[in-house]
Amino acid sequence: TQTPSLSITPTASLVSPSSVPSSSLSPTETCFWTEIAIIYDDDPSLTWWTIRRKVSGSDSWADSEVMRSHRGSDGNTFHIESNCLQEGEFQFNIHADGGDGICCDHGEGYYNVTSYGELIAEGGEFGRAEWTEFTLPFVSPFL
């Protein structure tokens, strides 16, 4: 099976990430751009994802905080979301309620998660769910 390629070009309705972390005047915390892009299969209403942040000092994801989430809806073909997240440990979870991922039984769905152009996670062929843990600021293991 050939994996579709995602080419992401921010539009005026999206916040365009810069090449450096963002910071604000109040509160004075730095955040890091993370982008989730999904090409849905033929039944987008069965697909949803979350980004969870691990509670400081915890060894478990059980008490983690949901930072962002999204569920597809009928008629969706593509979803892209840019998020500015603070430094920390995160987990990206993607779920397919039908138990067949987003590729290939009902179309050629695919997703990727990036931070400043560095690939954190990608896929489409999975069962009911898959997840990837990562730390921000993200440093690619391939450098």
Side-chain angles (χ1 to χ4, degrees), residues 42-93:
D42 295 335
D43 200 349
S45 65
L46 298 179
T47 304
W48 56 282
W49 60 262
T50 60
I51 292 182
R52 303 181 73 84
R53 182 177 181 173
K54 188 181 276 188
V55 174
S56 182
S58 175
D59 291 332
S60 168
W61 288 100
D63 299 323
S64 62
E65 174 184 6
V66 174
M67 303 300 293
R68 297 279 189 234
S69 65
H70 178 80
R71 178 180 282 277
S73 60
D74 289 338
N76 287 156
T77 56
F78 183 74
H79 175 77
I80 185 169
E81 185 169 318
S82 296
N83 299 290
C84 203
L85 303 170
Q86 296 174 358
E87 183 174 352
E89 293 180 68
F90 295 87
Q91 185 182 70
F92 172 78
N93 303 279

